[in-house]
Amino acid sequence: MLLEVLLALVLGAVVLLVLRRSKAAVLKTEDGWWGAGSPPAGAEDESIRPFQVETSREEIEDLQRRIDQTRPVPSLEDSQFNYGFNSTYLQKVAAYWRNEFDWSKQVDKLNQYPHFKTKIEGIDVHYVHVKPKNLPEGRTAVPLIMVHGWPGSFYEFYGILPLLTEPANADDVAFEVICPSIPGYGFSEAPRKKGFNSVCAARVFLKLMRRLGFGRFYAQGGDWGWQITTNMAQLDPTAVKGLHINFAPVENVGPLLILSILLGRRFPGLFGFTELDVKRLYPRVEKMLVEPLKETGYFHIQATKPDTAGRGLNDSPVGLAAYILEKFSTWTDHEFRNLEDGGLERKFSLEDLLTNVMIYWTTGSITSSMRFYKENFAKGFYPPHARIPVTVPTGVAAFPNELMHTPKLWAKQKNHKLKTYTTMARGGHFAAMEEPGLMAQDIQKFIKVVEGKK
Amino acid sequence: MWTLQELDRPKLQLLALSSVGIGLTYFLVWRRKAKKSIPLGDGWWGHGQQTLRDDNKIYPFKVETSEDEINDLHRRIDQMRYTEPLEDCGFQYGFNSNYLQKVVSYWRNQFDWKKQVAKLNEYPHFKTNIEGLDVHFVHVRAPHRPGQKVLPLMLVHGWPGSFFEFYKILPLLTDTKDDLAFEVICPSIPGYGFSEAPHKQGFCSLDAARIFLKLMERLGFNKFYLQGGDWGSLITTNMAQMKPQCVSGLHLNMLAVTKRGVGMLLSLIIGPYLPFLVGFTREDVRRLFPYFEKNVYDLLMESGYMHIQGTKPDTAGCGLNDSPVGLAAYILEKFSTWTDRKNRDLEDGDLEKKYSLDDLLTNVMIYWTTRSIIPSMRFYKENFKTNPQNRVDARTGIFVPMGHAAFPNELMHCPLPWARWRFKDIRSYSYMPRGGHFAAFEEPRLLAEDFVKFVRKVEGKKR
């Protein structure tokens, strides 16, 4: 009896799967304008202007004054990072920031790559453009756009950029990389109007690539970068040659998914579940309900009241650092919640972490960065693009400590041309920053599969 | 295997009767075994190890301020880094930045904290050490008028409120001209305002309830009334569950609905069409439905703060403890939205319609000057650590006389049939004509009237 039911379910699922695949829709979008007031008459200024990150003594002194004014509240005894950023360790970070961190030096580091700004849909879009320096004869660099997420920035890619633009191996592909800042983040201007979601960001970035003369290119992203690059592939599949993602949460819950959740533990082989898959998904209630609930408070408040959530953080640099760096701790490894120092300096240097925080601080962009959450969930969890599959060649790098784990079977539901799926050796959510070598290796592997097929 | 269809009529009747009989017996036996109180437990929340010395003394306390404190506040307000709001967003994205600048300007240039401190000190304040923590409270005695009966009462606040929310209702309860008056104790929940914050993990509403019971005992009150909303509602309910013999009556202006499965589902399905069948009034229907929109969607929209405070309070409160403007925006957003959800569509959140900026900012100053925003948020995490529906107090009924004032703009509406699931002796249930979550602050006269009406019913039945 049970076997018959099971067979019927599986058959039904297969039928549904086949039916679903045959109606692959295209994502539609309309143009937008995000500046203040009404758009001016006449054509938009499409010039590309070089940009330099700058700082001043006033900026640094103001920061130091505010750090000095911090009013610390001791953490509860033995609570480590379980209540959020531990107060004792936060004072150590603040002391380093106040006395040793050299923002001028970091600004020079940021400027080692050329930055630009250009106006698209009424707002200034910032990006870093890195070309390979030593390209062998007869070879062209492969264009690649890499999109960051929250609470990251283009700076997360500074470790991987040399590996992609000047690869060590002769037979590795050399990339020409564009790292933009999402509008509302860092040096990109924030939209003034409501409604700027990931599809709008995707459209803006497609226009950027077109303006830079790239007709076809690869895209890479994690966190919001995953969503935006996925939307780019859905909006213009001919422009996106290949999509490499390190984050692939499920948006569409279908019968096959439910079946795999119910039976995957007992019959992992049936669904292609690996040991890591089973470890990350079971026990079900703990891993799929309790853990996400514990870690999505920020998401909930940012998706509903971003202006309130960001208000205090824009005045208090230590508050901003605590809010952002808590993620760099917990999203790198959940076990870090039980460490007094959150394990923060095990995988990252304080210098790099604080440079990322400074990008949010000096541009005052924490509130606009949070608004992106509200704009993306304005119409609920099931927007049109969640129902549309991705039809460009895709590669998934599944890092073992990523926030949400996606087995190959689930990734295939959305990405119909899944070319590579790699279970990575180590690493968490901020993969490019934490494990640039591993990430670069997987991007190379993916490109070779896609280019090889040609 | 026999089936029901094979049984003849007499056998079916026998089956039905015996089922009912078994069910009834089980119900009665189970009912008798049902607990009427919850255990008190014990705790110690001070630094390090518990000291043997037990200080039971009550010390008078005065709220104080200094030039340094006010100058520091002004400096920080001046350092605010403004962020432009989106066009036409009202209060939908949170506290509107444009209106915030007006509030902040008033705070910087016109708000007189020294004058407000003097106002706070109009009533006598005290502190006493319980379970390792200094517990703050205001104690207001009634001017004894001849022929007046004075009953003891404790009022418990919630988040993001404080004892100050009760300052308008205090004279209405203590200084009455008729035969009934109250002697009122307004404590601060440990971790809020002038009450010391717990140094150990695990301090939840049960612990606050036990500490407040010890407080009343220390003050010499054997039987008293309780009134509360928000966390105050849960804490006073716990107090009534721990020592029902001490609680004359429990009056609440907010009732958290604990899901009761099939019963609730049925009333939700049938309620809009045949309300009388499930015990709903027309007013219940008006306040509850459309259910999804009003209770699920709206609750999701408004519970982000609860989610982050219930998981990462130290992170959530960190920036707010350095930025007074950030703190004000965070707290006052609730005074706007929880007074009336429609305020979300207004540029100024209609904040000053029901409250004065002086009163609102005094409440914010209590959090600011005591640096208690983080400990106040931790209370959420401590209460949600164990599944709140499985905790001992959620599985136990409340048997003391209870009265509920249901304000129309409260966050959740709880109809009488649902309240009856847990409260076994409801003496009064009133649909209030106007008012929201901060009832004592917004409509002190209405709340006082309903509370006194409830007390008279309880006292009347006693004789």
Side-chain angles (χ1 to χ4, degrees), chain A residues 66 69 83 308 326 361, chain B residues 76 79 81 315 333 385:
Chain A
R66 287 172 193 261
Q69 282 177 5
Y83 283 68
T308 296
E326 182 219 278
W361 175 256
Chain B
R76 289 170 192 262
Q79 282 178 1
R81 305 198 316 167
T315 298
E333 182 218 280
K385 257 189 186 163

Side-chain angles (χ1 to χ4, degrees), chain A residues 246-247 276 279-280 327 329-336 347 398-405 423-431 434-435:
Chain A
N246 51 295
F247 187 60
L276 177 69
K279 186 171 93 119
R280 286 296 312 264
K327 301 312 176 198
S329 162
T330 310
W331 295 358
T332 294
D333 189 337
H334 275 200
E335 296 299 315
F336 286 176
K347 290 303 205 81
F399 285 86
N401 286 322
E402 179 56 90
L403 276 176
M404 275 180 279
H405 180 71
T423 302
M424 308 302 281
R426 54 186 182 271
H429 184 77
F430 300 97
E434 188 192 347
E435 297 286 351

Side-chain angles (χ1 to χ4, degrees), chain B residues 160-186:
Chain B
S162 60
F163 66 91
F164 182 63
E165 286 178 83
F166 298 121
Y167 266 49
K168 286 197 224 149
I169 204 177
L170 275 170
L172 304 175
L173 295 170
T174 55
D175 201 1
T176 64
K177 305 281 186 295
D178 54 31
D179 60 314
L180 192 62
F182 297 89
E183 182 172 342
V184 187
I185 307 290
C186 290

Side-chain angles (χ1 to χ4, degrees), chain A residues 59 62 66 103 150 183-190 306-307 310-317 320 324 356-371, chain B residues 80-85 97:
Chain A
E59 186 173 78
D62 173 73
R66 287 172 193 261
W103 179 229
W150 187 95
Y185 287 68
F187 303 108
S188 277
E189 193 179 342
D307 283 28
R311 183 60 261 159
L313 304 182
N314 207 36
D315 292 346
S316 162
L320 180 68
I324 289 178
N356 181 58
V357 173
M358 285 297 272
I359 289 170
Y360 281 90
W361 175 256
T362 56
T363 56
S365 54
I366 185 64
T367 299
S368 46
S369 76
M370 291 179 168
R371 284 182 193 147
Chain B
M80 166 189 163
R81 305 198 316 167
Y82 174 71
T83 302
E84 184 112 10
S97 270

Side-chain angles (χ1 to χ4, degrees), chain A residues 20 23 227 250-254 376-388 414:
Chain A
R20 287 254 300 291
K23 51 176 172 93
Q227 184 66 279
V250 166
E251 300 164 289
N252 216 351
V253 182
N376 278 300
F377 295 103
K379 299 199 176 78
F381 290 109
Y382 208 45
H385 65 79
R387 287 168 244 171
I388 297 172
K414 173 87 180 181

Side-chain angles (χ1 to χ4, degrees), chain A residues 46-80:
Chain A
E46 297 197 353
S47 65
I48 293 163
R49 296 155 266 134
F51 170 73
Q52 280 256 344
V53 183
E54 280 166 355
T55 184
S56 65
R57 251 190 60 202
E58 281 88 46
E59 186 173 78
I60 296 173
E61 278 171 6
D62 173 73
L63 170 74
Q64 291 174 335
R65 202 168 28 240
R66 287 172 193 261
I67 294 176
D68 288 337
Q69 282 177 5
T70 274
R71 306 197 310 169
V73 173
S75 289
L76 293 173
E77 293 169 12
D78 291 316
S79 60
Q80 296 99 32

Side-chain angles (χ1 to χ4, degrees), chain A residues 37 66 69 71 77-78 83 85 193-194 293 295 300 307-308 311 314-316 326 361 375, chain B residues 76 79 81 87-88 93 95 200-201 300 302 307 312 314-315 321-323 333 368 382 385:
Chain A
R66 287 172 193 261
Q69 282 177 5
R71 306 197 310 169
E77 293 169 12
D78 291 316
Y83 283 68
F85 208 106
K193 308 236 183 311
K194 295 186 275 194
L293 267 177
E295 292 303 324
H300 195 164
D307 283 28
T308 296
R311 183 60 261 159
N314 207 36
D315 292 346
S316 162
E326 182 219 278
W361 175 256
E375 304 296 16
Chain B
R76 289 170 192 262
Q79 282 178 1
R81 305 198 316 167
E87 292 169 9
D88 295 316
Y93 284 67
F95 206 108
K200 307 247 183 301
Q201 299 171 51
L300 268 176
E302 294 305 323
H307 195 164
K312 314 278 181 181
D314 286 21
T315 298
N321 205 39
D322 291 344
S323 163
E333 182 218 280
W368 174 255
E382 304 294 18
K385 257 189 186 163

